[in-house]
Amino acid sequence: MALLSVIVPCYNEEENIIPFYEELTKHIGFLEERQIGLEVLYVDDGSRDGTVAKVKELRQRDGRIRLVSFSRNFGKEAAMYAGLSHSRGDYVVLMDVDLQDPPSLLPEMFSYIGQGYDSVATRRVSRKGEPPIRSFFARRFYGLMKRISKTEIMDGARDYRLMTRQMVDAILSMQEYNRFTKGIFGWVGFETKWLEYENIERARGETKWNFWKLFLYSLDGIAAFSTAPLMLASVAGVIFCILAFLMIVFIIVRKLLFGDPVSGWPSLVCIILMTSGVQFFCTGILGQYLAKTYMEVKKRPIYLIKEEI
Ligand code: UDP
Ligand code: MG
């Protein structure tokens, strides 16, 4: 019998665990028709509330529930990776526990897998209910990534995605420490069907992402899937050399025509400040990539498990 694994990363989500399960079970009648089994794998990302207790309570009711619990908070990327590596299903779907990823889409998603797609992904076409500043920067991020990365990263893509075992194994073969799953999905390729839906607001509790966290996450994404920023230093270097050459010609000509090579102290200060600023900026970019490389080289585990049921 085939098996579907539902992977649910949870961080301090005690009030969402059971509503999610109830909503999910309303929409999985199609599994029985197709003779497909189910496992629901909650990945507790080091929650400090009653999340683990709630999952254990559910487990008493339904033997198809599984739990992987981390020793501390490792982040959603680590939780998704752990979920994928512990899943046993022939088909695997990643879902948020806050019901922003509607389980009602599952039957439709599954029908596409039957039609030969390896993966069915979702994207939200609107961002209603989100702070405008967040939407603005999200759009800029996707626009920038389109230009500087060869990997396709879809605007508004969610992590809500159904995949075949083959694709899951491909994702698991990418064992990088700095994980940016939205990019990894695109990088591995395979035939993907995109479904679109209107943004749904979180059922209960609060988002775990503030603006600053998302901003840093977007920088991770850029560093993980593009090396274009590293080119910036070379480009800036060439531009400044050309400018310097033009300045030298200008100053020599001016000296020959008008004398007085000394005046121009303010412009000199501006030039020094400007060029040293650009240099620090470029060194900073180098540092970012070096830091990422440093973390990769250490080969630390992506997550640590405290408990598994
Ligand atoms: N999450 C997680 N670890 C974290 C932060 C979030 O496992 O460090 C989970 C969270 O419990 C939820 C999902 O990731 O199931 C999405 O998080 P959230 O709803 O806060 O993000 P948003 O939908 O606002 O982008
Ligand atoms: Mg959410």
Side-chain angles (χ1 to χ4, degrees):
M1 193 162 131
L3 182 70
L4 169 71
S5 303
V6 179
I7 296 170
V8 206
C10 313
Y11 178 47
N12 294 341
E13 301 274 12
E14 58 181 354
E15 71 264 59
N16 282 318
I17 302 289
I18 290 175
F20 172 82
Y21 170 80
E22 278 163 358
E23 182 66 22
L24 177 72
T25 44
K26 271 186 217 155
H27 296 282
I28 49 167
F30 72 96
L31 288 178
E32 275 141 47
E33 288 158 27
R34 292 168 187 240
Q35 298 268 306
I36 297 171
L38 173 75
E39 63 170 8
V40 184
L41 176 54
Y42 286 96
V43 183
D44 159 51
D45 187 7
S47 302
R48 276 177 299 246
D49 65 353
T51 298
V52 171
K54 281 279 187 242
V55 176
K56 286 181 178 167
E57 186 189 321
L58 259 187
R59 162 88 193 179
Q60 304 291 325
R61 268 163 63 181
D62 188 341
R64 297 174 298 180
I65 306 285
R66 292 174 63 201
L67 168 73
V68 169
S69 182
F70 288 177
S71 61
R72 64 167 169 87
N73 179 243
F74 280 88
K76 188 187 176 189
E77 288 291 342
M80 289 193 289
Y81 182 71
L84 293 176
S85 21
H86 283 79
S87 68
R88 300 174 186 145
D90 308 278
Y91 311 101
V92 176
V93 62
L94 287 166
M95 293 176 87
D96 285 2
V97 75
D98 57 8
L99 290 174
Q100 278 189 297
D101 298 334
S104 53
L105 275 181
L106 278 174
E108 191 190 348
M109 290 169 86
F110 228 89
S111 67
Y112 286 108
I113 292 283
Q115 290 171 25
Y117 286 102
D118 304 292
S119 152
V120 185
T122 59
R123 59 187 287 260
R124 40 184 188 179
V125 278
S126 72
R127 289 178 167 270
K128 71 167 196 281
E130 196 184 62
I133 179 121
R134 207 198 231 204
S135 306
F136 174 80
F137 276 98
R139 292 247 151 73
R140 296 290 85 73
F141 169 73
Y142 286 110
L144 182 69
M145 282 308 262
K146 200 162 249 152
R147 271 182 280 132
I148 65 172
S149 174
K150 288 197 194 92
T151 306
E152 190 197 19
I153 298 171
M154 190 71 102
D155 187 357
R158 297 200 47 91
D159 296 324
Y160 184 20
R161 188 185 276 255
L162 177 66
M163 289 166 281
T164 59
R165 173 52 47 187
Q166 191 186 20
M167 180 157 171
V168 172
D169 287 341
I171 291 168
L172 290 174
S173 73
M174 297 176 76
Q175 294 179 345
E176 56 211 76
Y177 183 81
N178 296 292
R179 300 190 75 76
F180 186 70
T181 303
K182 284 179 173 50
I184 291 177
F185 287 144
W187 194 92
V188 296
F190 294 99
E191 208 70 53
T192 301
K193 170 78 188 168
W194 286 92
L195 298 184
E196 296 180 347
Y197 65 93
E198 292 278 321
N199 190 30
I200 300 169
E201 286 187 48
R202 190 174 236 284
R204 286 164 207 80
E206 282 192 351
T207 173
K208 310 293 178 291
W209 299 85
N210 56 33
F211 182 77
W212 183 239
K213 256 183 158 176
L214 275 175
F215 181 72
L216 293 179
Y217 183 55
S218 72
L219 294 187
D220 279 349
I222 292 172
F225 282 93
S226 172
T227 49
L230 287 172
M231 275 292 290
L232 222 61
S234 319
V235 174
V238 171
I239 292 174
F240 276 87
C241 284
I242 295 171
L243 284 179
F245 179 74
L246 294 178
M247 277 300 275
I248 290 167
V249 172
F250 171 73
I251 287 168
I252 290 174
V253 170
R254 196 179 58 171
K255 157 78 182 132
L256 292 178
L257 293 183
F258 306 103
D260 185 23
V262 186
S263 80
W265 186 84
S267 56
L268 197 63
V269 170
C270 293
I271 292 166
I272 292 174
L273 283 180
M274 166 86 182
T275 49
S276 58
V278 170
Q279 281 179 27
F280 278 132
F281 181 67
C282 292
T283 317
I285 292 176
L286 261 173
Q288 283 300 317
Y289 280 89
L290 183 64
K292 300 277 177 228
T293 313
Y294 179 58
M295 292 312 288
E296 294 292 348
V297 167
K298 281 191 190 209
K299 288 215 178 307
R300 282 185 183 162
I302 295 168
Y303 59 89
L304 289 173
I305 291 180
K306 193 175 112 196
E307 193 181 6
E308 193 183 338
I309 301 175

